Amino acid sequence: MSVHTPGEVAVSRLVRDATAAPSMHNAQPWRFHYARGSRTFSLYADLTRALPHADPTTRGLHIGCGAALFNLRVAAVHARLRPVTRLLPDPAVPGLLATVRLDDPGGADGARDGVAVLHPAIHERHTSRYPFTGRRVPAEVRRALTEAAHHEGADLAFPAGSHLRSVLDLIRDAEGYGHMDACREGETERWTRDSTTDAPMDGIPEYAFGPLKRGGSAPVRDFAGRTPAHGRDLADFEDRPQLALLRTLRDAPADWLRAGQALERVLLIATLHGLRSSFATQALEWPDLRWVLRDPDSGAGHVQMVIRLGYGPAGPRTPRRPVRHVLEIED
């Protein structure tokens, strides 16, 4: 079978799907380069979009780029191409996070593990900072999410009892620490947007803040910070939030990229099951607190993401940079 070489429109469509991925503060810290001759994408970190206070090691940046990488793989398989992926292919170029060669249909790396069915969820997945109902996530759905993480070399755990209470306490404490840190507060403010005065292409617009929390223990970050909440509704959030901890065995850049791919796979599966999701990264942004997030009994793994899951309103679509701003095509 001859190899299908995608044209510029098809390549742009693949990148549009890739960039629907979530990232810290919706900073979208990625750049894509496509070489026609080798049919290969190169994914680069865009360090101009790093968060030096909240993410000094660029762990979160790598996770966001890993999520975009997974979307690219899904989109390629959906387009009847076979993505062959290499992580950190050139130690001499640390900003080069991955390459994805588009081979002929069939074979491995996505074609046999069913990722094509996830494609409809790419643009349906949105972060929801709204209250969820008390409906519990069924055991079979939890198993599907756990299997999704395992497919990408990560682990997904659902804390309960004293561990859950400890996680919630750590997130609450971390948010308080963040509000007392002028540099962190300023960094967050720089990534919030007012859609009534401009047309944002990145960051968190005010319409995605969600309601102001009146009660409940669900960890929902308030991106309004110290800004007065004019016109925002008050709402009671869950008293029994359902959290999942995404973990990896090791804690190096390649593991962060795997965690990002696992995260997006979990989120797309969750979306297909009608689940909503948001993130609680506050404690992850403080190294000492991140360490304590681990399971106190097993102590296993490095927590890479805290995911809040449940049933409720869909979050709004947040802005994305135009593909032409993040994609370079080489003849």
Side-chain angles (χ1 to χ4, degrees), residues 157-159 164 167-168 171 219 241-245 280 306-309:
F158 298 90
L164 175 59
V167 170
L168 292 172
I171 294 170
Q242 301 179 85
L243 303 185
L245 305 182
V306 180
I307 311 168
R308 170 178 164 254
L309 296 165

Side-chain angles (χ1 to χ4, degrees), residues 6 77 81 195-196 245 258:
V77 175
L81 296 162
S195 65
T196 64
L245 305 182
R258 293 187 188 97

Side-chain angles (χ1 to χ4, degrees), residues 67-98:
L69 174 62
F70 183 77
N71 276 358
L72 180 62
R73 290 169 48 201
V74 172
V77 175
H78 176 74
R80 298 184 176 276
L81 296 162
R82 181 168 67 96
V84 179
T85 305
R86 292 182 61 198
L87 300 182
L88 304 173
D90 188 348
V93 187
L96 175 58
L97 303 185

Side-chain angles (χ1 to χ4, degrees), residues 12-330:
S12 296
R13 189 179 297 120
L14 293 174
V15 172
R16 177 178 176 270
D17 288 345
T19 59
S23 57
M24 280 188 72
H25 297 11
N26 194 27
Q28 303 171 46
W30 42 61
R31 292 187 297 109
F32 294 85
H33 177 276
Y34 181 71
R36 297 180 194 268
S38 61
R39 303 182 309 280
T40 299
F41 281 102
S42 297
L43 169 60
Y44 291 89
D46 186 345
L47 295 178
T48 67
R49 293 176 166 268
L51 302 168
H53 298 288
D55 185 32
T57 66
T58 70
R59 184 189 61 83
L61 180 150
H62 281 72
I63 289 175
C65 288
L69 174 62
F70 183 77
N71 276 358
L72 180 62
R73 290 169 48 201
V74 172
V77 175
H78 176 74
R80 298 184 176 276
L81 296 162
R82 181 168 67 96
V84 179
T85 305
R86 292 182 61 198
L87 300 182
L88 304 173
D90 188 348
V93 187
L96 175 58
L97 303 185
T99 57
V100 180
R101 190 179 74 246
L102 303 177
D103 280 2
D104 58 307
D109 198 11
R112 284 197 291 239
D113 63 5
V115 300
V117 301
L118 303 180
H119 187 263
I122 286 178
H123 294 284
E124 292 299 318
R125 180 219 62 80
H126 307 301
T127 299
S128 177
R129 300 183 183 89
Y130 290 88
F132 297 157
T133 71
R135 179 184 171 190
R136 310 308 289 174
V137 178
E140 61 270 21
V141 176
R142 289 190 177 206
R143 283 194 293 271
L145 300 179
T146 301
E147 291 171 4
H150 287 168
H151 262 294
E152 302 301 326
D155 176 53
L156 196 70
F158 298 90
S162 60
H163 186 203
L164 175 59
R165 290 191 296 272
S166 173
V167 170
L168 292 172
D169 288 345
L170 289 168
I171 294 170
R172 182 197 62 222
D173 292 346
E175 183 139 24
Y177 298 155
H179 287 320
M180 292 186 292
D181 187 317
C183 292
R184 289 173 183 257
E185 278 286 281
E187 185 173 76
T188 299
E189 290 173 4
R190 285 192 293 276
W191 287 101
T192 59
R193 304 287 185 257
D194 184 352
S195 65
T196 64
T197 59
D198 56 21
M201 295 187 295
D202 55 16
I204 311 295
E206 87 294 335
Y207 61 75
F209 289 176
L212 191 63
K213 186 163 75 171
R214 176 172 51 198
S217 59
V220 181
R221 190 175 207 145
D222 187 1
F223 277 92
R226 293 172 290 195
T227 303
H230 298 304
R232 287 177 70 196
D233 294 333
L234 292 170
D236 292 317
F237 284 72
E238 312 95 271
D239 283 321
R240 297 175 59 207
Q242 301 179 85
L243 303 185
L245 305 182
L246 183 72
R247 308 178 301 197
T248 55
L249 186 60
R250 290 174 292 275
D251 197 33
D255 304 294
W256 304 338
L257 290 170
R258 293 187 188 97
Q261 293 178 91
L263 172 65
E264 188 68 349
R265 188 168 188 141
V266 166
L267 294 176
L268 297 185
I269 292 285
T271 300
L272 291 181
H273 282 280
L275 283 168
R276 311 303 185 191
S277 61
S278 64
F279 309 110
T281 64
Q282 296 93 319
L284 296 169
E285 296 163 16
W286 299 86
D288 292 344
L289 297 184
R290 180 183 170 222
W291 180 258
V292 187
L293 286 171
R294 303 195 310 170
D295 188 322
D297 295 325
S298 69
H302 297 267
V303 177
Q304 305 292 354
M305 184 58 67
V306 180
I307 311 168
R308 170 178 164 254
L309 296 165
Y311 298 93
R317 185 186 301 271
T318 50
R320 291 295 185 274
R321 290 192 287 163
V323 168
R324 67 180 183 276
H325 288 191
V326 299
L327 171 64
E328 176 186 2
I329 299 178
E330 173 190 296

